[in-house]
Amino acid sequence: GSLLKTGAGTVIWGSAAGTFNLLAGSLIDVQTGGFDAGSSANENWTANLSSLNVASGATVSELTYGNAQIDALTGAGSVGLTGNTLTLGVANTLTNAYNPTGIATFSGIISGGGSLTKSGIGTQILAGANTYSVNTTVSGGNLKITGGIYTDAYRTTVVTVQGGSVLELNTWSYGASQSLGMLAANVGCVVLNNGTIRMTNTVATSYGRGVTHNGAATHDESGTALWTIDVVNDNVNWTYNNNSIAL
């Protein structure tokens, strides 16, 4: 089934804890106005399996007073995090009215003081200029960043790619328009635990961040992607199993 939000106002919940426990294949569809996902700071999203669509101009706020989870994230609106982790792909990115099975695109903005985790076997695409401020983890499937994360300010947070998972980037330099935005080049800011980072750009990009490799981590290119490493300027903060790598 679906939960549809329309109208210009914002829906909030009473003081008693609201529990969101929709089944896999269902949809929360915020078409207009606001949807306050944690208006009493005690709402429970930890068992939710539904997808979430946030249309352009619509907002979902206060989503992570506690850890929250959804399946596919689609639309072009705004999603605000509050302190904890939002996990995407929890039902393997099932089909709904806004995405086919296995792939979902969100071109809006995820903001606020929370972390983002991609789980499951599907692909979640982030096409907007996201500004959430804490960690990013790819623990399952593919997180494809065609827009950017950390696009608003310098960050020393951690991007982790676990074994069997893929992080796809268009670019890997530093700056607001880059896939990893203004993420620092510090040791431990990018960690590959047997995971894969894949470049998908068609214009040459120069890698400029340190990365920590734990186990058989993989760097590769997709299609006609062009990826170069400047061993003079980019030879910083690369490690493998706690040992420095000389490029």
Side-chain angles (χ1 to χ4, degrees), residues 145-162:
I145 303 176
T146 60
I149 59 177
Y150 311 129
T151 61
D152 62 330
Y154 176 77
R155 305 289 188 198
T156 58
T157 50
V158 181
V159 175
T160 304
V161 187
Q162 304 288 16

Side-chain angles (χ1 to χ4, degrees), residues 124-202:
Q124 177 68 57
I125 300 172
L126 299 181
N130 297 281
T131 60
Y132 64 92
S133 61
V134 196
N135 299 330
T136 301
T137 302
V138 189
S139 62
N142 186 337
L143 179 63
K144 184 173 183 178
I145 303 176
T146 60
I149 59 177
Y150 311 129
T151 61
D152 62 330
Y154 176 77
R155 305 289 188 198
T156 58
T157 50
V158 181
V159 175
T160 304
V161 187
Q162 304 288 16
S165 304
V166 178
L167 175 64
E168 285 195 41
L169 307 174
N170 276 351
T171 57
W172 206 351
S173 298
Y174 178 89
S177 64
Q178 305 297 308
S179 294
L180 294 182
M182 289 179 271
L183 181 68
N186 300 347
V187 170
C189 279
V190 178
V191 179
L192 299 186
N193 293 326
N194 298 296
T196 296
I197 290 184
R198 177 175 300 137
M199 297 305 301
T200 60
N201 61 298
T202 57

